[in-house]
Amino acid sequence: MAVKKTKEDLEDVSLLKFALVSQLKRTYETSDVDILLFAGVDGKIYASYIPDSIGPKIFELTNLITSNLLHISQQLSMGLQQSVIEYDFGTVIFSSVGRGALLISLFTKKIDLSQNMRKIEITRDVMQHLFEQKPMTEAQLSKYPEDVSRELKELAKCVFNEMYTQSSEYKKNMEILSDIKKKITGVMGRGEVDQVLAMAFNEIASSPKWMTEKLWPLLLEMVINDQIRPLHGDYIADVCMAEWIPDIKRKLESFV
């Protein structure tokens, strides 16, 4: 799948699934929730976050969810927004997410729910926004409370960055960067590479993962003319210019 380079684009099914799971993971990491499920009222699981450490207790919890789902679904049709069911071993919270979907939060031990409820409410709103594939525009985000809007922005940034690092474009840029580092090291030494490149990236106002086919040759020219030429003379600089630029252009064209 080709990843589109916009934070707003969560319409692709794979990207949507990744966004849903990412939000569940974010909630797990910032609350006391042990298991999170995003499901339809028919029991179909759309996304989940279940840590490996949960152990065999997951089977008991799953049975409890299944036995309560029909009752909860009936209540949803009557306008139920949230249901908190406490057991001896912990708590299950069913939260309505739009029409026909549920956020299920499981706590495997006794905890203070008051410290977790707002986080669950935020997650419910985020999941509904994603599930209904609403736009990630400022106009749309301004309709939410500040903490929900902030969470959506952070999630969009996280999903975009993580998905992009799996793309062929990102991998191409990392390979080109590695090749350029080797070229510079051969002339200036290993200790100078990071500083030289940091200055060049700053000059063109970019970073390795956002580089384009036009920017890579420009960056090399800047390194050669601003760093190598003053220190090593015109002859070395001209050789680098004659060899490096065409080589990098060929490698950029070879990627598909």
Side-chain angles (χ1 to χ4, degrees):
M1 180 188 72
V3 178
K4 298 179 181 179
K5 294 202 302 184
T6 66
K7 295 177 184 178
E8 293 81 10
D9 186 11
L10 294 179
E11 295 182 356
D12 181 88
V13 174
S14 297
L15 191 54
L16 174 60
K17 176 66 176 295
F18 186 82
L20 293 171
V21 174
S22 294
Q23 179 57 39
L24 296 181
K25 181 179 179 181
R26 285 173 61 84
T27 305
Y28 170 80
E29 293 173 343
T30 57
S31 69
D32 296 315
V33 181
D34 293 300
I35 299 171
L36 288 135
L37 305 172
F38 180 52
V41 293
D42 57 357
K44 181 179 180 181
I45 304 298
Y46 299 126
S48 65
Y49 189 77
I50 304 173
D52 295 334
S53 59
I54 204 65
K57 193 176 291 187
I58 182 59
F59 297 107
E60 182 179 0
L61 293 170
T62 302
N63 289 334
L64 287 172
I65 291 173
T66 302
S67 63
N68 280 287
L69 200 53
L70 178 59
H71 171 69
I72 294 298
S73 299
Q74 293 171 344
Q75 294 296 307
L76 284 172
S77 65
M78 299 170 61
L80 175 71
Q81 291 298 307
Q82 195 166 71
S83 176
V84 180
I85 305 176
E86 296 188 59
Y87 299 93
D88 290 337
F89 64 84
T91 304
V92 181
I93 300 178
F94 295 90
S95 304
S96 173
V97 182
R99 297 181 59 183
L102 289 165
L103 171 65
I104 306 172
S105 309
L106 298 96
F107 301 83
T108 60
K109 53 187 177 296
K110 292 288 185 178
I111 50 91
D112 182 2
L113 287 179
S114 63
Q115 297 182 9
N116 293 272
M117 291 306 293
R118 183 53 190 159
K119 185 64 181 178
I120 291 175
E121 290 169 358
I122 293 172
T123 300
R124 177 187 61 193
D125 291 343
V126 170
M127 299 297 279
Q128 182 169 348
H129 182 101
L130 296 174
F131 195 57
E132 295 178 355
Q133 298 186 45
K134 294 178 180 178
M136 294 287 283
T137 60
E138 287 297 330
Q140 180 66 47
L141 296 180
S142 66
K143 298 177 182 180
Y144 297 113
E146 184 178 349
D147 50 4
V148 175
S149 176
R150 183 169 56 249
E151 182 66 16
L152 277 165
K153 290 178 181 178
E154 288 298 318
L155 175 65
K157 181 179 179 181
C158 173
V159 169
F160 176 65
N161 287 338
E162 289 192 37
M163 289 296 286
Y164 180 60
T165 59
Q166 303 303 313
S167 70
S168 59
E169 186 172 354
Y170 176 83
K171 294 175 181 178
K172 173 190 70 177
N173 281 343
M174 292 304 101
E175 288 189 34
I176 294 296
L177 176 64
S178 177
D179 186 57
I180 287 176
K181 283 185 175 182
K182 291 177 182 178
K183 285 176 165 57
I184 298 173
T185 298
V187 175
M188 305 189 71
R190 187 178 301 276
E192 302 293 328
V193 174
D194 290 339
Q195 182 178 351
V196 167
L197 284 174
M199 293 175 62
F201 281 120
N202 184 61
E203 284 293 322
I204 62 174
S206 188
S207 62
K209 68 179 181 180
W210 301 121
M211 293 293 283
T212 65
E213 291 187 11
K214 292 182 179 180
L215 286 178
W216 280 119
L218 177 62
L219 178 130
L220 264 184
E221 289 178 8
M222 293 179 64
V223 169
I224 294 169
N225 290 323
D226 297 346
Q227 303 294 327
I228 294 177
R229 193 176 298 278
L231 293 174
H232 299 278
D234 290 337
Y235 177 75
I236 297 296
D238 290 343
V239 171
C240 292
M241 189 75 74
E243 295 181 357
W244 293 2
I245 302 299
D247 183 54
I248 286 298
K249 287 182 177 179
R250 282 195 299 272
K251 289 177 178 176
L252 285 167
E253 292 174 357
S254 69
F255 282 96
V256 293

